[in-house]
């Protein structure tokens, strides 16, 4: 990441904030700043939990509370605890809130049209394609990777989703009882690690790493939610797990996979893994891979 790249990003940010009007206190001609308008739009006609809003917008609880109080004072929203769990608060639009939401939605369309209108047909197509690519890359940059216990709810959600997908994709189906599944202890430090990817606080992928003493490190149960594929999460998982294996002193990284997972096989090849003879008796594996990795130099 060089100075030229940083300058280009800053220039882009200045252009966008000026062009879409977020520098003004009255966003889209409404009597409120952009933060309140965006929160109103995210609440939408269905309503949202406060926690979801915080995660979605990446805002701290205090700031969200202040924004919601302002919207409540203006009679646009109600904030009420759920009967089954009063710790969970749900925000819903009032009739006045729904009316302002409709205005916000219409004026947002008009703003988007004003960005496209001065351009010719080719320029419009180029701008829309470029915006889609920027959106994809910024979304990828929003994803976090966290080490979690494999028994935690987010980890279990990812593993259940993984099992359900491979059950559909494998020719023979998938029975976890037949697979060489690592137990939770093998994916906890110091014997291993389990990563969960999150987007706006929601789990969207996982990957485990076994670090057995005196043996190569092994990647297990890597899965990415279909809705977030194309963001480079698989490659990011491999890079992170390789770095952790190297820090542990491993010089060989292994994994196995099923022939049905063609995209994963292509990813492994592109990341420097080489096919080798079978190194385990995994009944669902058709391909076995290894990669020589460099351990960090001491001193």
């Amino acid at each position: 990441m060089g100075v030229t790249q940083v300058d280009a990003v800053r220039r882009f940010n200045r252009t966008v904030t000026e062009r879409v009007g977020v520098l003004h206190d009255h966003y889209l001609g409404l009597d409120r700043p952009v933060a309140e308008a965006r929160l109103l739009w995210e609440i939408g006609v269905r309503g949202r939990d406060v926690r979801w809003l915080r995660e979605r917008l990446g805002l701290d609880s205090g700031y969200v509370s202040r924004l919601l109080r302002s919207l409540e004072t203006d009679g646009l929203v109600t904030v009420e605890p759920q009967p089954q769990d009063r710790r969970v608060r749900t925000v819903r639009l009032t009739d006045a809130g729904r009316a302002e939401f409709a205005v916000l939605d219409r004026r947002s369309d008009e703003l988007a049209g004003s960005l496209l209108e001065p351009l010719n047909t080719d320029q419009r197509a180029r701008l829309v394609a470029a915006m889609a690519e920027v959106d994809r890359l910024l979304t990828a940059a929003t994803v976090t990777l966290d080490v979690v216990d494999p028994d935690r709810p987010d980890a279990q959600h990812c593993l259940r989703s993984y099992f359900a997908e491979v059950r559909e994709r494998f020719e023979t189906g998938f029975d976890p009882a037949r697979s060489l599944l690592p137990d939770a202890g093998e994916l906890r430090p110091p014997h291993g690690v389990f990563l969960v990817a999150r987007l706006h606080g929601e789990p969207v992928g996982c990957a485990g790493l076994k670090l057995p003493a005196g043996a190569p490190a092994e990647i297990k149960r890597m899965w990415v939610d279909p809705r977030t594929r194309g963001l480079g999460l698989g490659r990011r998982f491999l890079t992170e797990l390789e770095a952790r294996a190297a820090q542990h002193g491993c010089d060989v990284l292994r994994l196995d996979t099923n022939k049905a997972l063609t995209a994963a096989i292509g990813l492994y090849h592109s990341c420097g893994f080489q096919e080798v003879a079978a190194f385990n008796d995994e009944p669902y594996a058709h391909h076995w891979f290894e990669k020589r990795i460099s351990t960090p130099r001491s001193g």
Side-chain angles (χ1 to χ4, degrees):
M1 181 172 59
V3 174
T4 301
Q5 290 177 316
V6 171
D7 286 344
V9 170
R10 293 183 61 183
R11 183 167 60 252
F12 176 82
N13 290 343
R14 291 193 296 271
T15 300
V16 170
T17 53
E18 177 184 356
R19 191 66 182 86
V20 303
V22 299
L23 301 179
H24 306 292
D25 289 335
H26 301 280
Y27 181 62
L28 295 177
L30 300 174
D31 191 24
R32 63 191 69 261
V34 65
E36 291 183 11
R38 176 61 187 275
L39 188 60
L40 192 71
W41 190 87
E42 290 292 351
I43 294 166
V45 295
R46 295 182 302 171
R48 293 290 188 180
D49 293 343
V50 174
R51 178 182 177 183
W52 186 93
L53 292 168
R54 290 200 306 264
E55 296 285 359
R56 178 66 184 86
L57 298 175
L59 302 175
D60 67 70
S61 58
Y63 186 47
V64 170
S65 295
R66 291 194 295 274
L67 293 175
L68 288 174
R69 280 198 298 271
S70 178
L71 294 176
E72 278 189 292
T73 300
D74 289 346
L76 302 181
V77 303
T78 61
V79 183
E80 298 177 348
Q82 291 187 2
Q84 63 272 27
D85 187 349
R86 298 187 64 83
R87 294 171 301 178
V88 179
R89 296 181 299 149
T90 300
V91 188
R92 291 186 173 86
L93 300 180
T94 63
D95 289 343
R98 284 188 288 272
E100 184 160 323
F101 175 88
V103 173
L104 177 65
D105 201 38
R106 185 182 72 252
R107 292 186 183 178
S108 294
D109 282 346
E110 293 170 353
L111 175 59
S114 73
L115 296 176
L116 295 170
E117 194 277 332
L119 307 176
N120 61 40
T121 301
D122 178 64
Q123 289 174 322
R124 291 175 186 173
R126 287 166 51 200
L127 178 60
V128 170
M131 285 179 166
E133 178 69 359
V134 169
D135 179 66
R136 185 182 70 84
L137 293 173
L138 289 179
T139 299
T142 303
V143 176
T144 61
L145 297 187
D146 301 302
V147 176
V148 303
D149 189 285
D151 284 335
R152 297 294 297 170
D154 280 1
Q156 288 297 304
H157 164 81
C158 290
L159 289 172
R160 286 193 301 269
S161 300
Y162 169 80
F163 295 152
E165 180 172 349
V166 297
R167 189 177 297 118
E168 293 293 324
R169 298 186 62 181
F170 290 1
E171 289 181 354
T172 58
F174 182 78
D175 179 3
R178 293 187 59 221
S179 180
L180 299 181
L181 287 171
D183 63 41
E186 293 179 282
L187 298 177
R188 294 189 183 109
H191 306 294
V193 66
F194 195 81
L195 301 177
V196 167
R198 294 188 179 94
L199 176 61
H200 305 310
E202 297 296 323
V204 294
C206 65
L209 180 69
K210 290 173 59 176
L211 296 166
E218 187 174 351
I219 293 173
K220 303 296 293 184
R221 306 313 176 212
M222 191 170 80
W223 172 80
V224 174
D225 191 308
R227 296 171 299 173
T228 54
R229 287 174 191 171
L231 299 182
L233 296 188
R235 191 176 297 273
R236 188 171 167 190
F237 272 132
L238 292 177
T239 299
E240 179 67 20
L241 294 179
E242 179 178 329
R244 289 178 178 272
Q247 291 168 4
H248 194 75
C250 300
D251 57 6
V252 175
L253 186 57
R254 285 177 169 175
L255 59 88
D256 61 68
T257 194
N258 186 279
K259 64 183 180 181
L261 304 180
T262 54
I265 292 170
L267 173 64
Y268 302 145
H269 281 296
S270 70
C271 288
F273 285 84
Q274 303 293 322
E275 289 204 50
V276 295
F279 50 75
N280 61 25
D281 297 322
E282 171 59 59
Y284 295 105
H286 300 101
H287 301 271
W288 289 259
F289 289 89
E290 281 189 358
K291 181 179 182 179
R292 294 283 173 179
I293 59 178
S294 300
T295 57
R297 294 181 179 179
S298 60

